[in-house]
Amino acid sequence: MTRMRIALAAAAAASALVLAGCAGGGGDGTEEPTDEAAPTFEEGTTMAELAEAGSITVGTKFDQPLFGLVGPSGVPEGFDVEIAKIIASELGISEDNIEWVETVSANREPFIENGDVDIVVATYTINDTRKEVVSFAGPYYMAGQSILVLADNDDIQSEDDLVGQPVCSVTGSTPAEKLAEIGAEPLLTDTYTNCLEPLRSGQVVAVSTDNVILAGLAAQNEGEFKVVGEPFTDEPYGIGLALEDDEFRNWINDVLEASYEDGRYEEAWNSTAGEILPFVEPPTPDRY
Ligand code: GLU
């Protein structure tokens, strides 16, 4: 596989000299650089630190089909997971050297702030409140809040029908805030799968979060639930990282754009969420 190079030209040139010096061959400078040579980064950057360590800790969801779900293999699978793998590979880090940490909606900022994870790729909406404590690369996908109901419920068609009704969502999520704003009665738990039992039992009339999460839950529980109405918010998904690590943020944005160009983004989509959801052209990263 050809590894795309996203490193400072100066650093790359310096490293080429070092590599040639270490080659131990004739030292005649005729060695062809190989595609598999480790990428090099400017000293002191997060990229250099991670590449040097040879591992990265990634926060993702463990119970969200299509985006981040731990199955029988014991490692998470999904579109967010594939996005993290693309980033890791650009650091010269193989899949086996990614440490996956479960993040739920409410602990994503603290996990980044405390250094428990290097990045979070977890259906994570970029917004100004969160940008006060973490930074975001991306967006790499545009989702929108929607509604999940029992398959035989025809009473709820849009967010207007949620007013005054008990609706399940997750603490620390943007949909939970929106539900309160529109006058629903949010019942909050820690993960979206934990909303399914209250929906089955009638404790709530709906579950509300991003359309793509709900589509995954509906597909996982065939015939039981359906997604209704049109998305009624914008949920631009970003990659969370330490606040003001601008070099790392810009570099991840470069990696995203390169993956759009060379087909890896589309491949990541098609092999995961794309099994259920249509491919849409990715958004341009917001280089704030
Ligand atoms: N994208 C929304 C958020 O980041 C909802 C999904 C989630 O909680 O992961 O809050």
Side-chain angles (χ1 to χ4, degrees), residues 61 64 104-106 108 122-127 130 143 169-176 192 209-210 213 235-237:
K61 298 293 183 85
Q64 287 181 189
V104 295
S105 304
R108 292 172 294 193
T123 59
Y124 198 9
T125 295
I126 303 171
N127 68 25
R130 291 172 177 170
S169 198
V170 162
T171 308
S173 72
T174 48
Y192 297 105
T209 186
D210 301 341
I213 299 174
E235 307 290 335
Y237 286 176

Side-chain angles (χ1 to χ4, degrees), residues 264-279:
R264 281 176 303 163
Y265 175 94
E266 191 164 352
E267 196 183 310
W269 179 267
N270 289 340
S271 64
T272 57
E275 284 168 16
I276 305 250
L277 300 164
F279 176 77

Side-chain angles (χ1 to χ4, degrees), residues 37-108:
T40 53
F41 300 99
E42 197 181 354
E43 212 180 308
T45 60
T46 302
M47 295 82 84
E49 278 165 26
L50 293 170
E52 165 77 13
S55 65
I56 183 167
T57 305
V58 178
T60 195
K61 298 293 183 85
F62 277 16
D63 70 337
Q64 287 181 189
L66 308 182
F67 278 73
L69 176 70
V70 175
S73 70
V75 287
E77 291 169 11
F79 183 59
D80 281 341
V81 170
E82 293 305 312
I83 292 290
K85 286 181 191 169
I86 291 172
I87 295 166
S89 84
E90 291 304 324
L91 294 163
I93 299 170
S94 69
E95 287 178 27
D96 299 343
N97 290 322
I98 301 176
E99 193 194 331
W100 301 104
V101 171
E102 182 177 18
T103 45
V104 295
S105 304
N107 66 18
R108 292 172 294 193

